[in-house]
Amino acid sequence: MENFNVDDLLGKIMSEMGNQPSETLSTVFEQRLTELNINQTTAAEIMGVQHRGLMGILNGTLKRIDFSTLNKLSAFLQLPQKEVLELFMNTFKDQYSLNVNKEKVDFIQNNFDLATLKKVGLINDITDFNEIESSLCELFRLKDILDYRPSEKVPAFSAGKIKKKNSYSQSTWLTKAEELFEELNNPHFYDRNKLIEIFPKIRWYSTDVSLGLKNVVSLLYKCGVSVIFVPSFPNLHVRGATIPVNGKPAVILTDYKGFYATLWFALIHELYHVLFDWEEISQGNYHMSVDDSDDAVVVQKEMEADNFARKYLFSKEKSAMIKRHLNNHTEVVKFAKFNDVHPSMIYLFEAYDSGNKPAKWIKAQKHNVNVLESLGNLNSTWSDINSINQYVKRNREIYN
């Protein structure tokens, strides 16, 4: 049975919305009842449809419709199917305009990527703006969506180098992160010397999947560097970012590509920015994106941060040393232990160095570890708004 999806027609409906009254399916249906001198119940019986379902079509409250019902209506009304469909669109348009504040609709569409929010489960329907407003207000803890203000922070990104970032998703991600940092309210002053002192120990913590990342986050917190995890979006190709919050470095990590080693790479990349680019970041002078190929300065800075993270975690020279033993997992584990890193890093860096060779990436995936295990309570999802809003409360034992 073919289904009619109102979502697919929303664009056309919105573009055709005007101030002139439109004939609707309901008015034409009532005229037909008058012609035949019958009531709604009898008409439903003649067409072989349920009365409740028929009313849902006529008043525009159903969002998904059995297309066969429109065929039966077409026959009953003795009108072409296309005309019946247009009448239904007018009905839906009128119902839509009664229930939605146009100012809020425009505001939401101008500030959020609704298709992506639906994909991650934050909203259920891109046409239900009442539900959309409710979910967004819950996420950002607002009384009215018009009170939403996107973050104005200028971040230093650790980003994928190929695909362009989506500005709406980026804004949502940054704004929620900034709110969490404000709630966290790190009481420690940023101490660069203390950060330098603990830096040599950070790599070793990667060997402890369950507690390593959380312990490092706690150590950094005491240095005045706050680190949180915020779930990514499908079209947001970033590994992490650093922004200033209350005059202190604030690092955001995310689940880019789902590799455990990538979490650590992004962390070290961002700590490079904290150590060497903090003055620019704190003053809001860092660049918004690394995707601008004309900006040689920012490209160079990002390359330096990547090179630093790679050399610190597991250099290319070390990769060359273990390369011929990659089919011997026992040897890889021993070499990883000797170099104070998790074995999954060796396989991931080999895959990255080899380019697009599927076999290398398959092996990296095989030896990858569960990112969720390493995150524990640091993890949250967009589909569970409460899990994000309870982030600070849930992790107070880490941030102390």
Side-chain angles (χ1 to χ4, degrees):
M1 188 174 292
E2 187 178 3
N3 287 326
F4 169 73
N5 189 342
V6 173
D7 283 358
D8 295 337
L9 296 173
L10 181 61
K12 183 176 180 181
I13 294 171
M14 294 294 290
S15 66
E16 294 180 352
M17 289 178 76
N19 297 322
Q20 298 301 318
S22 303
E23 190 173 42
T24 67
L25 200 54
S26 180
T27 57
V28 173
F29 181 75
E30 290 298 328
Q31 292 171 7
R32 183 61 172 160
L33 294 184
T34 300
E35 291 176 6
L36 298 176
N37 194 26
I38 59 176
N39 58 28
Q40 293 177 350
T41 303
T42 302
E45 292 175 352
I46 291 173
M47 288 184 283
V49 299
Q50 292 186 351
H51 182 261
R52 180 181 298 179
L54 176 61
M55 291 301 100
I57 293 174
L58 294 174
N59 60 32
T61 58
L62 290 185
K63 295 176 182 175
R64 296 189 69 87
I65 301 168
D66 183 348
F67 201 74
S68 65
T69 302
L70 289 177
N71 284 332
K72 292 174 181 178
L73 264 175
S74 176
F76 178 75
L77 298 174
Q78 295 186 356
L79 293 173
Q81 189 179 89
K82 180 181 178 181
E83 187 172 338
V84 171
L85 184 61
E86 291 174 349
L87 287 169
F88 172 77
M89 289 174 64
N90 286 335
T91 302
F92 180 78
K93 174 194 68 178
D94 292 342
Q95 182 67 24
Y96 181 87
S97 62
L98 287 173
N99 293 326
V100 177
N101 181 311
K102 189 175 186 303
E103 181 184 7
K104 290 185 177 182
V105 171
D106 290 342
F107 183 85
I108 290 171
Q109 291 178 330
N110 289 331
N111 285 279
F112 300 97
D113 182 346
L114 299 184
T116 297
L117 296 184
K118 181 178 180 181
K119 186 176 293 185
V120 298
L122 183 65
I123 61 174
N124 297 314
D125 186 343
I126 64 171
T127 70
D128 188 345
F129 284 90
N130 292 319
E131 184 243 349
I132 293 170
E133 180 186 10
S134 177
S135 295
L136 290 173
C137 283
E138 182 182 358
L139 176 66
F140 291 105
R141 296 182 254 210
L142 303 170
K143 291 184 179 180
D144 191 308
I145 192 59
L146 296 178
D147 294 331
Y148 172 79
R149 294 295 179 270
S151 173
E152 296 181 351
K153 300 294 184 184
V154 180
F157 279 115
S158 170
K161 296 181 179 178
I162 299 176
K163 299 179 180 179
K164 189 174 182 180
K165 293 183 290 295
N166 178 280
S167 59
Y168 288 167
S169 293
Q170 175 181 301
S171 178
T172 301
W173 188 73
L174 282 173
T175 303
K176 187 59 189 179
E178 185 179 356
E179 178 197 307
L180 294 177
F181 283 125
E182 293 284 359
E183 182 183 354
L184 187 59
N185 193 24
N186 191 337
H188 302 284
F189 292 104
Y190 169 48
D191 189 333
R192 187 175 188 270
N193 291 330
K194 193 172 181 180
L195 175 57
I196 293 173
E197 180 182 332
I198 71 165
F199 212 98
K201 308 173 186 177
I202 294 177
R203 179 177 58 208
W204 173 82
Y205 281 97
S206 73
T207 62
D208 185 347
V209 174
S210 299
L211 298 174
L213 184 63
K214 287 174 278 190
N215 286 334
V216 168
V217 168
S218 184
L219 285 173
L220 292 171
Y221 187 72
K222 294 177 177 65
C223 296
V225 181
S226 300
V227 181
I228 66 172
F229 176 88
V230 179
S232 187
F233 290 111
N235 57 353
L236 183 63
H237 302 280
V238 299
R239 297 182 294 250
T242 299
I243 60 175
V245 177
N246 298 327
K248 305 166 192 176
V251 174
I252 316 161
L253 298 179
T254 193
D255 49 341
Y256 182 73
K257 299 293 186 182
F259 283 103
Y260 175 69
T262 301
L263 277 178
W264 290 92
F265 185 89
L267 175 62
I268 303 304
H269 176 111
E270 295 307 325
L271 291 179
Y272 174 89
H273 285 311
V274 173
L275 285 171
F276 301 107
D277 299 319
W278 175 239
E279 184 176 354
E280 291 181 76
I281 295 171
S282 64
Q283 295 175 3
N285 293 329
Y286 203 84
H287 299 264
M288 278 296 292
S289 172
V290 300
D291 291 321
D292 186 353
S293 59
D294 294 330
D295 195 335
V297 174
V298 73
V299 170
Q300 181 63 31
K301 283 180 176 291
E302 293 306 313
M303 288 179 61
E304 289 173 357
D306 278 349
N307 291 337
F308 177 86
R310 174 62 187 274
K311 187 173 183 179
Y312 173 81
L313 290 170
F314 199 76
S315 67
K316 291 185 177 182
E317 290 76 15
K318 291 179 179 178
S319 289
M321 292 172 63
I322 192 62
K323 188 176 182 69
R324 64 190 182 93
H325 298 292
L326 288 176
N327 290 325
N328 187 335
H329 186 61
T330 301
E331 287 298 316
V332 172
V333 171
K334 288 166 57 177
F335 197 69
K337 185 176 181 180
F338 179 78
N339 287 279
D340 292 333
V341 295
H342 192 274
S344 65
M345 287 192 188
I346 296 177
Y347 293 108
L348 182 64
F349 287 140
E350 172 63 19
Y352 183 82
D353 292 343
S354 300
N356 296 320
K357 293 184 179 179
K360 301 290 186 181
W361 287 102
I362 291 172
K363 182 171 287 189
Q365 187 64 61
K366 177 183 176 181
H367 294 288
N368 189 30
V369 294
N370 193 330
V371 171
L372 298 182
E373 181 184 348
S374 68
L375 291 170
N377 285 337
L378 292 171
N379 185 47
S380 56
T381 62
W382 296 110
S383 60
D384 182 1
I385 295 174
N386 188 59
S387 73
I388 300 179
N389 285 347
Q390 292 295 317
Y391 182 95
V392 173
K393 181 179 179 180
R394 190 172 64 242
N395 290 290
R396 269 302 175 190
E397 74 281 2
I398 297 175
Y399 303 105
N400 56 37

